Amino acid sequence: CSVQLEKTYEVEATILGEMGDPMLGERKECQKIIRLKSLNSNTDIASLARKVVEECRLISPSRLPEVEQLLFYLQNRKKSAEKKEKKQIKPRDLTPFEGMELDEEANINSIDDYIELLYEDIPEKIRGATLILHLARNPDNLEELLQNETALGALARVLREDWKQSVDLATTIIYVFFCFSSFSQFHGLITHYKIGVLCMSIIEHELKRYDLWQDELLKKKKADILSNLKKEYEKALKKYHGLLTKQEQLLRVALYLLLNLSEDTRTELKMRNKNIVHLLVKTLDRDSEELLVLVVSFLKKLSIFLENKNDMKLQKTSPTLHCPKNSRRCSSGYLKYAESVSVHSWLVCVCVSGDEAQRQIAMCILYHISMDDRFKSMFAYTDCIPQVMKMLFDCGEERIDAELISFCINLAANKRNAQIMCEGNGLKMLMKRALKLKDPLMMKMIRNISQHDGPSKNLFIDYVGDLAAQIGLKEEEEFVIECLGTLSNLTIPDLDWELVLKEYNLVPYLKDHLKPGSAEDDLILEVVIMIGTVSMDDSCAVMLAKSGIIPALIELLNAQQEDDEFVCQIVYVFYQMVFHQATRDVIIKETQAPAYLIDLMHDKNAEIRKVCDNTLDIIAEYDVEWGKKIQSEKFRWHNSQWLEMVENRQMDEAEPFMYGDDGEPFLQNGDILERPDLFYSSDGIIPVDGAISPEFFTDFQNGDLLGPHGFPSSNTLSFESKHSVTPARPATAYGFRPDEPFYYGYTTSR
């Protein structure tokens, strides 16, 4: 390879007058390029420096040491570049290929002779195009070639007319335009000659030829098997490999040119309209590493846009996927979709057996797939979960990669996945590591497992004491939040919560952390949810009521009234407590909790309204006075809406009836509530004498007085039948849901 030195100097010209005085002068900066064709690791730097100084009169002999130093730097830089090039093939390197060799050196001054060759037969055209290519590979010549419209026009014409006749000719000419495409300012030139459109047509044609070659080769193989002759097949196979090599060179240079042009999103859109994604995906079946790296890089760029991503859905798994040892091909995982279970298995295989770069990319892909609830369950039908669990345990006491633990957290949000994780000693090992290392992310994974009803939840009975022991200690807040969240999920009938609260002295902790500002909001919220869980137990509810937790909850409700999640969970605690006689009496007789609930009965949040209604129904059932207040409020709310509708409604035809003979309103605003006959018809159900109570209206509205066909029924539901089923803990749109996808950039619980 040649290396060049650049020498910058100035030339000054002066015109002198008759008396020798300067009349006119001009100064110009010039540059002298010295090409060193033989600089390598074995070159004698001192001898080469002397030769350069001798042959270049612009360099003073006194600057010989500087020339030596510069040559020494170039020699060492070249060595490091060679070492780097051996380590990896860059996706955007386009190396020379077979057919570019020449027995003469191209000269920009002979460009007209090269153009003449383009008008001869195919061999001469190839030679002329190759000479021009050698010029174009030097960026210094591109500006001059750009000015030569004859040369560029001839190249474009030959490519358009003769590309089917010679792959070498097409490859060489496209390579010339590729050199221009490496610089954005020349993209207009390529568009002008419509090279991009032509490349798309060439790629599509070559892919069809590839399919034909495959079919012919298969036929030859079958014929040779039947005739017991292998010579014909081997001959055809050798020819096929030769054709394939040249075709892949053509595809590579054409796709690279298109990749450069796609920097402009408008041009990229035109490519998409011509089905570039389909062509690229078909090319993934090849074995050429250089071509595959280029294709995957192109697809990765296109996948930024949703429309392109959707076009990349593959009907079959590419052979590229079955080569996890190849780090280049691993990046093709960016293109795969969760619809294919085999892709999941392959990505996990890459995570286990690939190198560091492969593992990180594959795990990121798995993490993104796991964020979609539609695809979480698919992992249960592969060997993915056992492999991932092994990767977790293999970490020992080292820090687990964020991508790996985030992926596991998302998987644990699916019930079937969680059951597989608990098989054998899975849960035991997870708990052991989380408690030993105080790992909040591992505990978040365990928390997700604990939310699922069934056999997996019952396994947590053995670890309730270990989890409760973490709460009183001065542990990291994030870790305590996850321990509280895990305990809150354990709605197990056989669990003695009273014993847990007493043995680990949790009641003072829970009460102290209900004070606004006593801790971060996330921790306070988990304390509220924990209280809601233990309040299901009658003895626990009594213990909490005696400790003064109910007034503390009301104080917290006042402080957090703008936070829907806090409000909803506190109301849920009241709902649980009104089931028990002791706590119900405290709530109804000693606090203003029912009044707060009445105010929240018409909250804009549907979950809050639902929990409030259920709680108030139970209070009304047991306390007559509060029952009347609740029914009156429901009655007032319903009719206030009706009155507002009447006032806002324009009823021109009803105007004569709204005024008396003296022009005064027939009814005053305060009188309308005394006239129920105005908005209840006399149909035999409601009397017209105004003898209607809010109690009757509420029962009628709730359907309590109606039979199966909409008529009044003499049978009413008892309290036990109404409230025998405890609704699940509410989840508002503002709070934490354990089954939400976990984003590993965040570590809080909400």
Side-chain angles (χ1 to χ4, degrees), residues 274 567 575:
K274 291 187 175 294
V567 172
Y575 173 77

Side-chain angles (χ1 to χ4, degrees), residues 352-408:
V352 173
S353 61
D355 61 27
E356 186 63 32
Q358 297 176 46
R359 285 199 299 269
Q360 186 175 12
I361 294 173
M363 188 56 68
C364 286
I365 301 165
L366 287 169
Y367 162 72
H368 282 291
I369 293 173
S370 70
M371 289 171 61
D372 194 323
D373 288 337
R374 295 174 299 168
F375 306 134
K376 281 189 178 79
S377 60
M378 289 187 177
F379 289 96
Y381 303 101
T382 69
D383 61 347
C384 171
I385 296 174
Q387 294 274 19
V388 170
M389 293 290 285
K390 184 177 182 301
M391 292 170 65
L392 278 180
F393 299 142
D394 286 345
C395 291
E397 297 187 4
E398 296 178 3
R399 179 180 173 275
I400 302 174
D401 290 340
E403 296 86 357
L404 174 59
I405 188 62
S406 303
F407 174 51
C408 293

Side-chain angles (χ1 to χ4, degrees), residues 43-322:
T43 302
D44 184 349
I45 296 299
S47 302
L48 182 59
R50 286 194 296 273
K51 185 176 181 182
V52 168
V53 172
E54 289 172 2
E55 295 187 2
C56 183
R57 292 178 295 173
L58 297 171
I59 302 177
S60 170
S62 63
R63 306 192 67 179
L64 179 62
E66 293 181 34
V67 176
E68 286 187 18
Q69 182 65 28
L70 182 58
L71 290 174
F72 178 76
Y73 165 74
L74 290 173
Q75 186 184 45
N76 288 320
R77 188 184 67 171
K78 187 169 178 291
K79 285 180 183 178
S80 61
E82 286 175 354
K83 289 179 182 177
K84 198 171 183 180
E85 193 172 350
K86 287 178 183 177
K87 287 183 180 178
Q88 64 174 27
I89 300 173
K90 297 179 182 178
R92 294 204 170 192
D93 280 349
L94 191 58
T95 52
F97 48 82
E98 185 180 351
M100 286 181 57
E101 301 85 2
L102 283 174
D103 54 1
E104 62 178 290
E105 184 177 352
N107 191 322
I108 192 68
N109 297 321
S110 305
I111 185 68
D112 293 337
D113 297 333
Y114 307 154
I115 296 173
E116 290 295 328
L117 293 173
L118 297 177
Y119 292 90
E120 304 295 333
D121 294 333
I122 294 297
E124 284 74 19
K125 288 179 179 178
I126 294 174
R127 182 175 180 79
T130 304
L131 287 163
I132 296 174
L133 172 59
H134 277 257
L135 294 175
R137 293 190 68 202
N138 184 352
D140 296 335
N141 295 327
L142 292 179
E143 287 286 355
E144 190 166 344
L145 288 173
L146 180 66
Q147 304 303 322
N148 197 323
E149 295 184 6
T150 304
L152 297 176
L155 287 169
R157 175 188 60 78
V158 172
L159 178 63
R160 193 163 38 250
E161 295 176 356
D162 298 330
W163 66 266
K164 288 185 180 180
Q165 298 184 38
S166 171
V167 174
D168 290 335
L169 179 62
T171 304
T172 305
I173 296 177
I174 293 175
Y175 203 148
V176 173
F177 287 103
F178 160 76
C179 295
F180 284 97
S181 74
S182 300
F183 302 92
S184 300
Q185 62 266 35
F186 298 137
H187 286 185
L189 162 76
I190 300 169
T191 304
H192 172 72
Y193 289 107
K194 299 181 178 180
I195 302 301
V197 177
L198 194 53
C199 284
M200 293 279 291
S201 301
I202 292 172
I203 293 168
E204 185 175 6
H205 176 80
E206 291 300 326
L207 291 176
K208 289 179 180 178
R209 287 180 64 188
Y210 175 75
D211 292 337
L212 291 175
W213 293 345
Q214 294 275 63
D215 292 340
E216 290 178 7
L217 195 63
L218 184 61
K219 290 177 182 177
K220 289 271 188 185
K221 187 175 182 179
K222 289 180 179 179
D224 285 355
I225 291 173
L226 293 174
S227 61
N228 293 325
L229 295 174
K230 293 186 178 180
K231 290 183 179 180
E232 289 295 325
Y233 172 71
E234 291 176 355
K235 184 178 179 182
L237 184 63
K238 186 176 180 180
K239 181 180 178 183
Y240 164 77
H241 284 304
L243 293 172
L244 192 62
T245 300
K246 290 191 174 184
Q247 187 188 69
E248 288 178 346
Q249 291 171 351
L250 173 58
L251 291 174
R252 188 164 165 240
V253 71
L255 288 171
Y256 207 153
L257 182 144
L258 293 175
L259 176 59
N260 287 342
L261 294 181
S262 68
E263 290 177 1
D264 187 340
T265 53
R266 293 171 298 178
T267 305
E268 183 178 309
L269 180 60
K270 292 178 182 178
M271 294 181 192
R272 180 185 178 273
N273 293 337
K274 291 187 175 294
N275 214 5
I276 182 66
V277 174
H278 173 71
L279 299 179
L280 290 168
V281 170
K282 282 193 70 175
T283 314
L284 285 174
D285 290 335
R286 303 303 181 98
D287 293 324
S288 169
E289 182 175 337
E290 292 84 358
L291 180 60
L292 284 173
V293 173
L294 177 61
V295 170
V296 170
S297 300
F298 203 160
L299 283 169
K300 179 183 172 185
K301 179 183 184 302
L302 294 173
S303 65
I304 294 172
F305 294 97
L306 179 65
E307 296 81 3
N308 295 333
K309 178 183 75 72
N310 293 336
D311 288 346
M312 291 178 197
K313 291 184 178 180
L314 305 183
Q315 299 300 317
K316 62 178 181 177
T317 304
S318 168
T320 304
L321 290 177
H322 302 301

Side-chain angles (χ1 to χ4, degrees), residues 630-640 680 694 697-698:
I630 293 166
Q631 288 177 336
S632 297
E633 173 60 24
K634 290 182 178 180
F635 181 77
R636 186 199 64 77
W637 174 258
H638 174 84
N639 283 285
S640 65
Y680 293 110
F697 172 77
T698 305

Side-chain angles (χ1 to χ4, degrees), residues 525-541:
L525 179 60
E526 292 302 330
V527 168
V528 174
I529 296 172
M530 177 70 177
I531 294 172
T533 297
V534 301
S535 295
M536 296 179 184
D537 186 284
D538 185 70
S539 55
C540 286

